[in-house]
Amino acid sequence: MKRLLLPLLALVLCQPAAAATTRLDRHGTVVLDGRKVFPIALAKGPPGDGFAEVAAAGVNVLKVGPAGGWTADDLARTIAENRAAASHGLSTWVNLSAFAQVRPGGSRESLLRHVVGTLGADPSASAIALWKGADEPWRFRMRPASLRYGYCLATGRHRAWCAGRAPVDTGRLWVTVQAPRAGVWSLAPYSEVTDVHGVNSYPIAIGDADPDLGEPGSWTNVLGLATPRRAVWTTLGICWTWSYDAAGNVQLPTREQQRFMIYDAILNGARALAFYGGQNPKCWGQLDAAGGWNWAYWGRVLEPLVREISAASPLAPALRNPGTTRELPTSDRSVRAISRRGRNGELWVIAVRGGGEGSVDATIGGLPAAPSADVYAEDRSVSVAGGALADSFGRWAVHVYRLTAPTARSS
């Protein structure tokens, strides 16, 4: 540990030429090395030999680094993960939460400088896209003022908060993720000490036969209202503390449940999605231990959903274009719908039904002239007439429509 604290690289304050850079555009979209992206993160992902598989499906960000500590072994392991990520075209989200409340001077600041300097000096710095700040600070009663110095030191923003000291990095975004608690006015002060403001929301719990799948979307909206440019990151669950019991029973989100939560979060403004808990052995099946990750859940549920929203998907341009979002009128109050522009004049419509028993037939209006709309990932289409389409929505249903007529233009 003493060797780690030696300031060998503590004065590495500028980024090497190969380092990645991230910023936000005016609509809160993440811009990586000049390209708008929709981050799809695993927190945490599989061991390094599994990076190729998740990257091929469309995951583009992996959380790396320890929750605390940062020993020499932690640093070496993170560099190895960054190198593996870089080799597969993945970006990383490095956990610096242990330094969120760092104070000027002292060993914690020296350690932060050493960690960031060492990571940045390695060629794998090209993979580092984001830093992770405090974990659920409102819940753990961390005052926003206590996070100012760490935020300034790691990003160079609000230089008056840096106490006259040079920042360790100036080219990457800082992400702070909250618990699904409090409200807009309580959470808004934290937007001053982060670039991207997120929420962890995991409504699926063992023994709960009727979870509220609308919770992640509702909290995404709350964080959006509390955050300038609605730069919101939504973390959905694979496995967490309430996913299993002492008897070995496990309850994870089904494909239908996870799909609803993904699209409902996007409809409510998520600019990035993360999936937490694949690394938790409490939820592994018999064959998962050999792979060191929840590959059974990946193959059964998550992989096909990631492919639907990946950068290679037809939907991707619309996900990166939240500035074109329009709320659309619907004939049923339980159904919400938005539209976004994609590429080549495409108009995408995301519609969800949150709650309510049985099924309803609903009309979605405000659409351009088009003969029909393809229903994404459902291998069917619906007719469009008079600027509206009609479809059936079950409880927690999601339908995503693509209108590709040459005249596809929102009115």
Side-chain angles (χ1 to χ4, degrees):
M1 187 67 175
K2 290 182 179 179
R3 291 180 62 192
L4 185 59
L5 292 173
L6 290 174
L8 294 176
L9 295 170
L11 298 179
V12 181
L13 304 178
C14 59
Q15 300 174 103
T21 61
T22 47
R23 62 178 178 84
L24 297 174
D25 74 2
R26 64 192 182 96
H27 299 295
T29 303
V30 175
V31 180
L32 170 64
D33 292 337
R35 298 175 293 106
K36 292 199 292 185
V37 297
F38 183 85
I40 303 171
L42 296 178
K44 286 184 170 184
D49 58 2
F51 285 10
E53 181 168 341
V54 298
V59 169
N60 52 19
V61 178
L62 297 174
K63 180 182 172 185
V64 299
W70 280 103
T71 64
D73 286 344
D74 293 326
L75 187 53
R77 186 178 305 110
T78 303
I79 289 174
E81 290 175 326
N82 283 339
R83 290 177 180 177
S87 71
H88 293 292
L90 292 162
S91 297
T92 60
W93 177 34
V94 181
N95 193 351
L96 298 183
S97 60
F99 305 109
Q101 291 183 292
V102 67
R103 296 178 180 276
S107 62
R108 298 302 291 172
E109 180 179 337
S110 296
L111 181 56
L112 172 59
R113 291 185 180 277
H114 183 65
V115 167
V116 174
T118 303
L119 294 176
D122 192 82
S124 63
S126 62
I128 304 171
L130 306 150
W131 305 118
K132 182 180 184 298
D135 192 38
E136 302 186 346
W138 186 91
R139 176 189 176 195
F140 292 109
R141 300 182 181 180
M142 300 180 195
R143 294 173 56 248
S146 74
L147 305 175
R148 289 178 177 177
Y149 185 63
Y151 173 57
C152 182
L153 207 62
T155 66
R157 283 178 275 286
H158 293 286
R159 289 296 289 269
W161 294 346
C162 279
R165 299 169 186 266
V168 296
D169 186 64
T170 59
R172 298 181 180 91
L173 296 171
W174 185 261
V175 182
T176 299
V177 183
Q178 302 280 2
R181 302 184 183 184
V184 173
W185 300 113
S186 296
L187 296 172
Y190 292 92
S191 68
E192 297 180 351
V193 290
T194 194
D195 301 310
V196 182
H197 209 177
V199 63
N200 300 319
S201 185
Y202 319 136
I204 308 300
I206 196 160
D208 185 352
D210 189 24
D212 183 358
L213 304 183
E215 285 183 3
S218 294
W219 281 106
T220 298
N221 186 54
V222 169
L223 265 295
L225 294 172
T227 306
R229 293 185 278 183
R230 296 186 70 91
V232 181
W233 172 297
T234 306
T235 302
L236 302 173
I238 298 173
C239 171
W240 67 303
T241 304
W242 289 4
S243 298
Y244 51 87
D245 62 21
N249 300 304
V250 174
Q251 186 168 332
L252 306 183
T254 65
R255 183 171 174 176
E256 292 74 19
Q257 290 172 328
Q258 195 72 275
R259 189 171 191 264
F260 176 88
M261 291 186 286
I262 286 171
Y263 284 106
D264 193 43
I266 293 169
L267 183 147
N268 279 282
R271 305 309 197 241
L273 292 173
F275 299 92
Y276 170 80
Q279 79 282 6
N280 191 334
K282 296 286 188 180
C283 294
W284 290 353
Q286 291 182 345
L287 300 179
D288 293 327
W293 200 66
N294 203 325
W295 288 109
Y297 187 80
W298 168 257
R300 186 177 70 252
V301 173
L302 201 54
E303 179 182 11
L305 295 177
V306 167
R307 289 185 183 278
E308 281 189 32
I309 60 173
S310 75
S313 73
L315 181 59
L319 297 181
R320 299 190 297 262
N321 200 14
T324 64
T325 303
R326 292 181 60 236
E327 188 89 19
L328 300 177
T330 68
S331 62
D332 190 284
R333 295 181 62 184
S334 67
V335 176
R336 285 190 63 199
I338 63 168
S339 68
R340 281 197 192 167
R341 295 179 185 272
R343 64 162 65 95
N344 299 326
E346 288 180 340
L347 188 75
W348 288 82
V349 174
I350 298 173
V352 302
R353 180 174 181 239
E357 297 299 329
S359 297
V360 299
D361 293 327
T363 299
I364 301 170
L367 302 178
S372 64
D374 295 328
V375 189
Y376 186 51
E378 294 188 40
D379 194 26
R380 65 185 180 94
S381 62
V382 296
S383 61
V384 179
L389 65 81
D391 209 346
S392 179
F393 289 80
R395 193 177 191 218
W396 307 121
V398 174
H399 298 313
V400 181
Y401 308 94
R402 176 167 56 174
L403 286 77
T404 57
T407 56
R409 193 171 204 170
S410 59
S411 58

